Amino acid sequence: MSIEIDILNGDAAWPMAQPLLSAVWGRDAAQKPSWSHVKWAHADLRVLLETPEDGLVCHVGIYFRTVTWNGQKVHIGGIGGVCTREDRRGRGYATIAIDAAVHTMRANEAVRFALLFCEPHNYAFYAARSWLPFKGEVYCEQPEGWIRFDAMAPYVFNIVRAPTLGTIDLCGLPW
Ligand SMILES: CC(C)(COP(=O)(O)OP(=O)(O)OC[C@H]1O[C@@H](n2cnc3c(N)ncnc32)[C@H](O)[C@@H]1OP(=O)(O)O)[C@@H](O)C(=O)NCCC(=O)NCCS
């Protein structure tokens, strides 16, 4: 099995990623989940995992942001838009793509920890990959103003060291 992994500029790679994201979330989004109203940030980079037979099978968006944790500025990495084509799941693709995203964050010496937001059905998936629940509060910007973000649960990952308590202000849109 050969797999090609590209990490591309987020905006430039959007036309490639968009059909997969729509296929995975189009149907769920129609069921109006708790996050359907959220305005999301655009990914800075995108991990695209392709196979010769199937083309694009998995996507992970990468975000870089200077946030505050308990009022102190800290540079972090984020992942979002993690998805694998429905008929190609369980082959390790998302694990590989998330690893590539974390590797990319580690290459940026300023990044202290990684952060993602997920729904309850994915808690076990991330916990099994060493992500820890962040038990503090998260705030972010939305068109209506500065809000507490509780549409999804935050999970953190140690790059240098990740906090699991306290208050994070994303200082921008969530991902
Ligand atoms: C979650 C998702 C990205 C996993 O993709 P994938 O390519 O199948 O993942 P992998 O093959 O790397 O890992 C699958 C493994 O995780 C497990 N797994 C998959 N989804 C899981 C979940 N929701 N909870 C717990 N375990 C899960 C599988 O049983 C398998 O376990 P194994 O490694 O012990 O065999 C995929 O199911 C998906 O696209 N879901 C819909 C979109 C979504 O919810 N994305 C996450 C947004 S935060």
Side-chain angles (χ1 to χ4, degrees):
M1 178 182 66
S2 79
I3 293 173
E4 187 177 317
I5 301 175
D6 287 318
I7 300 175
L8 303 177
N9 172 276
D11 288 339
W14 171 245
M16 281 174 262
Q18 195 267 336
L20 175 62
L21 271 70
S22 293
V24 170
W25 276 293
R27 202 174 347 139
D28 283 352
Q31 291 164 4
K32 296 217 181 302
S34 60
W35 45 267
S36 59
H37 62 286
V38 175
K39 183 170 165 61
W40 301 102
H42 292 184
D44 294 307
L45 298 173
R46 296 181 191 278
V47 180
L48 300 178
L49 203 147
E50 294 171 290
T51 69
E53 310 79 39
D54 297 320
L56 182 65
V57 288
C58 183
H59 167 271
V60 175
I62 303 176
Y63 303 75
F64 292 106
R65 182 81 59 80
T66 300
V67 305
T68 64
W69 174 70
N70 289 349
Q72 293 176 310
K73 282 187 179 180
V74 54
H75 197 60
I76 70 168
I79 68 168
V82 178
C83 60
T84 299
R85 218 177 93 170
E86 194 168 6
D87 58 354
R88 296 292 183 271
R89 290 181 189 163
R91 300 178 181 203
Y93 292 157
T95 302
I96 294 169
I98 293 167
D99 281 353
V102 168
H103 188 79
T104 302
M105 290 175 199
R106 285 193 198 283
N108 181 331
E109 287 176 12
V111 172
R112 313 306 286 177
F113 64 92
L115 175 67
L116 64 76
F117 299 94
C118 69
E119 294 179 277
H121 62 266
N122 286 322
Y123 294 172
F125 175 77
Y126 287 110
R129 282 151 186 80
S130 303
W131 290 75
L132 307 169
F134 178 77
K135 299 192 185 83
E137 296 182 356
V138 177
Y139 293 82
C140 72
E141 284 168 21
Q142 283 292 280
E144 66 269 26
W146 189 70
I147 60 151
R148 179 160 179 200
F149 186 66
D150 54 10
M152 287 192 193
Y155 271 68
V156 292
F157 186 90
N158 286 316
I159 300 289
V160 179
R161 179 148 189 195
T164 55
L165 296 170
T167 300
I168 293 175
D169 183 348
L170 297 178
C171 300
L173 297 173
W175 53 80

